[in-house]
Amino acid sequence: MSQTSSTRPAFIECRRLSKHYTLSPGLFGKPHIVRAVEDVSLEVRAGETLGLVGESGCGKSTLGRTLLSLSPATAGDIIVDGCNLTRLSERQIRPWRRRMQIVFQDPYASLNPRMTVEEIVAEPLIIHDIGQSVTERKALVAELLHQVGLRTDCMSRYPHEFSGGQRQRIGIARALALKPEFIVCDEPLSALDVSIQAQIVNLLLDLREKFGIAYLFISHDLDIIRFISERIAVMYLGRIVEVGATKDVTSRPLHPYTHALLESIPVPDPRRRRPLKLLSGDVPNPLCPPPGCAFHPRCSRAIVGTCDRTAPKLANIECGHQVACFNPQPAYALSSPP
């Protein structure tokens, strides 16, 4: 690709996006509101991979599904090519779904066990009326399977007859069927062996280079995010706390939470092993988040009277490097990288 990530136009952008869930109260209680995503502003540029990282339960998957309008937003805007998807009806959104797809975390649960591979991959073609005949659709399915490294003679087989990595390739082929410009990869490697993870990462990178697809790559593994992404967004308890180019975020993290994530990456070489620094405290209860900055109860840099009262907003500290922190300090977390 001739353009760098910083000069490409945004394909999809969310502005002050929020997604809340209301839990049913007890017999005499009040309903509880879970703020799964809160006031998130983010963009994914055409042809780039934006990594979204954070601990389990921080709202990463919810943000990905909300961006695709699979789950309606509570507040905020989702802009694709100048069109605000949050103002469209379900029928009006349907044409946009051809341009945006998702690869799910569990490659077995996301595939219908009663459908053959051919039926699974051909389903989006049928729904969107692509292909004039069964023969033409079968040829399209065969080409899609070839693109993800599967043999075409497996089309009559069922998902249980494949390994985890092969099932994930089937899910990727299904996502590619409509020639999307943007794919949300919702922790696509977490259910796979390490050796298979490398194969799927290389496949996704090859497809990005070949078709110019933009990815939102969701993971709790910052080491994988660092390898595959051009930019990284760090999420904590529903909010984005740091965004920037991969090199900037991993070499000079500004937010203490990002620094802690980087410090937790294991170093396989014992000669370069560094002492493990653990975060103090536990992740706050999303039903009752702390006031101010949600990270302040676990933060060694917290400013009393400020961090515990006011939630910081994302601010541009360096060129394209944003952080939501009242006391940002560059930390050279990976001065001895693995």
Side-chain angles (χ1 to χ4, degrees), residues 70-112:
L70 297 178
S71 181
T74 303
D77 300 311
I78 302 169
I79 311 297
V80 179
D81 278 358
C83 180
N84 191 339
L85 300 189
T86 59
R87 298 178 183 176
L88 302 182
S89 66
E90 182 62 31
R91 184 175 181 180
Q92 291 171 322
I93 289 177
R94 184 174 179 181
W96 294 94
R97 297 200 188 282
R98 293 184 57 169
R99 304 177 64 182
M100 304 182 293
Q101 292 293 305
I102 185 170
V103 176
F104 294 97
Q105 177 178 358
D106 189 337
Y108 189 73
S110 62
L111 303 177
N112 190 329

Side-chain angles (χ1 to χ4, degrees), residues 6-330:
S6 60
T7 59
R8 297 176 199 146
F11 173 76
I12 187 168
E13 178 184 4
C14 63
R15 301 171 184 169
R16 308 204 68 177
L17 187 68
S18 296
K19 175 62 181 178
H20 301 166
Y21 294 98
T22 302
L23 302 183
S24 299
L27 187 60
F28 300 106
K30 296 181 180 180
H32 296 287
I33 297 177
V34 179
R35 301 177 185 274
V37 175
E38 186 70 9
D39 199 24
V40 169
S41 295
L42 204 62
E43 67 176 19
V44 182
R45 299 163 186 164
E48 81 161 347
T49 299
L50 174 66
L52 182 61
V53 68
E55 293 171 289
S56 297
C58 71
K60 305 185 301 295
S61 296
T62 302
L63 176 59
R65 292 167 184 259
T66 306
L67 279 177
L68 297 180
S69 298
L70 297 178
S71 181
T74 303
D77 300 311
I78 302 169
I79 311 297
V80 179
D81 278 358
C83 180
N84 191 339
L85 300 189
T86 59
R87 298 178 183 176
L88 302 182
S89 66
E90 182 62 31
R91 184 175 181 180
Q92 291 171 322
I93 289 177
R94 184 174 179 181
W96 294 94
R97 297 200 188 282
R98 293 184 57 169
R99 304 177 64 182
M100 304 182 293
Q101 292 293 305
I102 185 170
V103 176
F104 294 97
Q105 177 178 358
D106 189 337
Y108 189 73
S110 62
L111 303 177
N112 190 329
R114 298 186 179 183
M115 296 174 68
T116 65
V117 170
E118 180 180 354
E119 292 170 334
I120 289 170
V121 179
E123 186 175 25
L125 301 175
I126 296 171
I127 291 173
H128 290 272
D129 197 24
I130 298 174
Q132 301 300 316
S133 64
V134 174
T135 303
E136 185 177 346
R137 286 180 182 139
K138 188 169 185 176
L140 290 172
V141 171
E143 175 60 25
L144 288 165
L145 293 177
H146 175 72
Q147 289 173 356
V148 298
L150 292 175
R151 299 189 316 183
T152 56
D153 58 4
C154 70
M155 289 195 292
S156 60
R157 294 163 62 185
Y158 291 85
H160 72 270
E161 301 179 67
F162 295 89
S163 66
Q166 290 173 323
R167 287 196 289 261
Q168 195 60 285
R169 289 174 186 267
I170 295 169
I172 294 171
R174 178 177 60 185
L176 290 174
L178 300 177
K179 298 181 179 180
E181 300 166 65
F182 172 61
I183 296 179
V184 172
C185 299
D186 186 8
E187 304 214 34
L189 310 178
S190 61
L192 306 177
D193 294 336
V194 174
S195 60
I196 306 301
Q197 288 181 3
Q199 296 176 18
I200 298 300
V201 166
N202 289 331
L203 172 62
L204 292 172
L205 290 173
D206 290 343
L207 293 172
R208 185 185 71 184
E209 292 299 316
K210 186 175 181 180
F211 300 110
I213 301 170
Y215 294 127
L216 176 66
F217 194 92
I218 299 170
S219 178
H220 61 272
D221 189 332
L222 191 47
D223 212 14
I224 292 176
I225 289 286
R226 181 178 58 174
F227 177 76
I228 197 173
S229 304
E230 295 165 273
R231 291 192 304 131
I232 293 177
V234 183
M235 197 168 193
Y236 185 79
L237 214 65
R239 293 179 180 268
I240 300 296
V241 297
E242 187 164 358
V243 185
T246 297
K247 182 180 179 181
D248 296 335
V249 172
T250 57
S251 63
R252 298 182 70 249
L254 298 174
H255 198 281
Y257 178 62
T258 309
H259 187 207
L261 290 178
L262 288 164
E263 286 289 332
S264 69
I265 298 176
V267 180
D269 188 346
R271 294 171 298 178
R272 292 189 292 179
R273 189 165 294 163
R274 55 181 180 263
L276 185 62
K277 297 179 181 179
L278 299 177
L279 281 172
S280 61
D282 299 319
V283 179
N285 185 347
L287 288 174
C288 186
C293 174
F295 188 67
H296 87 264
R298 309 172 72 187
C299 181
S300 59
R301 302 185 208 159
I303 303 171
V304 178
T306 300
C307 297
D308 54 353
R309 294 181 181 179
T310 308
K313 297 185 180 297
L314 273 176
N316 194 49
I317 304 299
E318 299 169 348
C319 183
H321 194 170
Q322 298 176 295
V323 63
C325 183
F326 291 116
N327 189 19
Q329 298 177 13

